Amino acid sequence: MRKLLWMAGKKRFPQISYCVLANLTGATDHAGVIKGIRSGYDWLRVQDEKFLKYYEPVKSYLMELEEEQVLSVH
């Protein structure tokens, strides 16, 4: 699921452009990446069953990225 790749990519490399993330997945529009990231977090917030099916296997990786960001801020 591209949304998860975009979410992880932006968390891990916040300086990377949305165009680069789009190119990694064959998308042609950076606006689609922005909307995809937002909708991914929306689906996560409402605990959408279909989204969680793909999120659960990579959940620990995304949580690890969040912990790294918190530690680097302090």
Side-chain angles (χ1 to χ4, degrees), residues 19-69:
C19 290
V20 171
L21 287 173
N23 289 334
L24 288 173
T25 58
T28 57
D29 186 13
H30 74 283
V33 174
I34 295 168
K35 291 176 186 175
I37 291 172
R38 286 182 184 159
S39 72
Y41 285 114
D42 288 343
W43 288 122
L44 189 57
R45 190 181 73 248
V46 298
Q47 297 291 296
D48 179 72
E49 183 179 309
K50 290 182 181 178
F51 183 79
L52 290 176
K53 173 183 168 185
Y54 298 101
Y55 176 76
E56 287 299 325
V58 296
K59 179 180 179 179
S60 63
Y61 179 73
L62 290 169
M63 296 302 217
E64 183 179 304
L65 293 175
E66 286 180 10
E67 290 173 7
E68 286 179 11
Q69 288 178 342

Side-chain angles (χ1 to χ4, degrees), residues 3-11 37 40-41 44 51 62:
K3 290 177 187 182
L4 291 171
L5 175 67
W6 295 334
M7 290 165 66
K10 201 60 178 168
K11 274 190 180 187
I37 291 172
Y41 285 114
L44 189 57
F51 183 79
L62 290 169

